[in-house]
């Protein structure tokens, strides 16, 4: 049993190393060790194994690591027939063309939200959304949507998590989430970063299951509270169409 636990722990550590590349395309040995919180000798052994299997590759000139071809080989076999990031892309582009702001698609992963698809605005000054970015569920329009329309158990678990920011009063947030559920959409104005604003609506499957949050984001001097209220019906309508597509 002890040997089994050690083996699983080794796999967890190797996966933690690979997940470093979700926030950067190349990393040095020391950088990875600091991010993962392990000794450099341990990281070196893990990287050697991953490199041998083709999951990472090392640039001899910089001594930095990046993802290898084995990742591409695996991703080529992902099922695209029921992938929301692929299925909903045309509707996201349609909404972008209608509102000319950046459109993002978020899903919840435990106590975080992950951007799984984005369509950038064509305006010179715009919000640039990076696919794969992980953000906290405590702030932002999409975070509020993913909590407001989640099962009560999910909402309670996130709000009671010890990592929840102490400055955000849980009772006040819970009341805000109830208001969002009644309104059908959420907004945020410079909550996560200065100069940025967003509005979001939930995407439900035909069975009524919350699938994702559809977000429209842009500079706060353009995406004002009044403008977001004006855009809300179009965002909600687009989210409804997307839910129909997902089936």
């Amino acid at each position: 049993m002890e040997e089994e636990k050690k083996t699983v722990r080794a796999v967890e550590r190797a996966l933690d190393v690979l997940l470093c590349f979700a926030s950067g395309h190349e990393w040095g040995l020391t950088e990875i060790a600091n991010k993962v919180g392990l000794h450099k000798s341990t990281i070196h052994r893990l990287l050697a194994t991953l490199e041998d299997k083709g999951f990472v590759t090392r640039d001899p000139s910089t001594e930095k690591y990046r993802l290898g071809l084995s990742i591409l080989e695996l991703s080529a076999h992902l099922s695209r027939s029921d992938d929301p990031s692929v299925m909903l892309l045309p509707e996201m582009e349609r909404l972008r063309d209608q509102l000319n702001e950046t459109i993002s698609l978020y899903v919840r992963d435990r106590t975080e939200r992950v951007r799984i698809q984005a369509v950038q605005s064509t305006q010179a000054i715009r919000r640039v959304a990076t696919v794969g970015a992980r953000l906290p569920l405590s702030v932002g329009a999409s975070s509020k949507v993913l909590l407001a329309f989640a099962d009560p158990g999910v909402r309670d678990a996130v709000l009671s998590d010890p990592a929840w920011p102490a400055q955000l009063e849980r009772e006040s947030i819970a009341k805000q989430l109830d208001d969002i559920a009644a309104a059908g959409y959420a907004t945020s104005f410079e909550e996560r970063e200065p100069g940025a604003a967003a509005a979001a609506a939930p995407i439900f499957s035909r069975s009524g299951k919350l699938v994702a949050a559809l977000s429209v984001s842009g500079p706060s001097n353009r995406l004002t509270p009044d403008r977001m209220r004006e855009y809300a019906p179009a965002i909600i309508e687009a989210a409804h169409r997307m839910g129909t597509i997902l089936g």
Side-chain angles (χ1 to χ4, degrees):
M1 180 63 71
E2 183 64 28
E3 184 62 31
E4 181 183 350
K5 288 182 179 179
K6 288 181 180 178
T7 303
V8 171
R9 182 57 182 149
V11 173
E12 289 178 348
R13 288 174 170 177
L15 292 174
D16 286 339
V17 169
L18 289 176
L19 288 172
C20 288
F21 296 93
S23 57
H25 75 283
E26 64 176 20
W27 298 98
L29 175 62
T30 301
E31 292 172 320
I32 295 174
N34 291 336
K35 286 178 68 68
V36 177
L38 294 173
H39 196 276
K40 286 196 293 185
S41 61
T42 302
I43 295 299
H44 186 270
R45 289 195 298 271
L46 291 170
L47 286 169
T49 301
L50 291 170
E51 185 177 13
D52 183 60
K53 295 296 184 181
F55 286 96
V56 299
T57 182
R58 183 175 60 89
D59 186 339
S61 63
T62 63
E63 295 296 321
K64 289 184 178 288
Y65 293 83
R66 61 181 61 194
L67 292 177
L69 292 177
S70 290
I71 295 291
L72 293 176
E73 292 171 1
L74 287 178
S75 65
H77 295 283
L78 281 171
S79 173
R80 299 294 183 180
S81 61
D82 56 355
D83 185 346
S85 67
V86 175
M87 295 176 67
L88 302 182
L89 184 57
E91 284 295 330
M92 294 176 67
E93 292 173 338
R94 175 178 174 180
L95 185 62
R96 187 273 313 276
D97 293 342
Q98 181 181 357
L99 304 181
N100 204 8
E101 297 291 359
T102 296
I103 311 299
S104 298
L105 196 66
Y106 291 94
V107 296
R108 183 182 66 84
D109 183 14
R110 291 170 289 186
T111 58
E112 295 179 307
R113 58 177 161 120
V114 182
R115 187 184 292 120
I116 62 171
Q117 186 60 279
V119 179
Q120 313 297 339
S121 168
T122 59
Q123 302 202 53
I125 300 176
R126 61 185 184 272
R127 285 278 292 130
V128 177
T130 305
V131 174
R134 286 180 172 270
L135 301 167
L137 280 178
S138 53
V139 291
S142 295
S143 293
K144 297 174 187 176
V145 161
L146 291 172
L147 287 180
F149 296 93
D151 292 336
V154 171
R155 182 198 295 193
D156 292 343
V158 172
L159 291 178
S160 61
D161 190 286
W164 183 265
Q167 69 272 22
L168 297 178
E169 188 178 306
R170 289 177 171 85
E171 290 185 5
S172 176
I173 296 296
K175 173 62 170 59
Q176 187 179 158
L177 295 177
D178 289 338
D179 293 341
I180 290 169
Y185 71 100
T187 63
S188 63
F189 192 81
E190 299 188 339
E191 285 186 8
R192 194 172 61 83
E193 58 182 285
I203 299 175
F204 296 101
S205 67
R206 291 182 184 177
S207 63
K209 178 184 177 182
L210 177 65
V211 177
L214 174 67
S215 167
V216 176
S217 61
S220 57
N221 63 348
R222 192 168 65 228
L223 208 56
T224 62
D226 286 342
R227 182 62 57 83
M228 287 191 283
R229 283 191 289 270
E230 177 187 331
Y231 285 171
I235 301 170
I236 294 172
E237 181 183 351
H240 178 74
R241 287 198 304 269
M242 292 180 184
T244 302
I245 291 170
L246 291 176

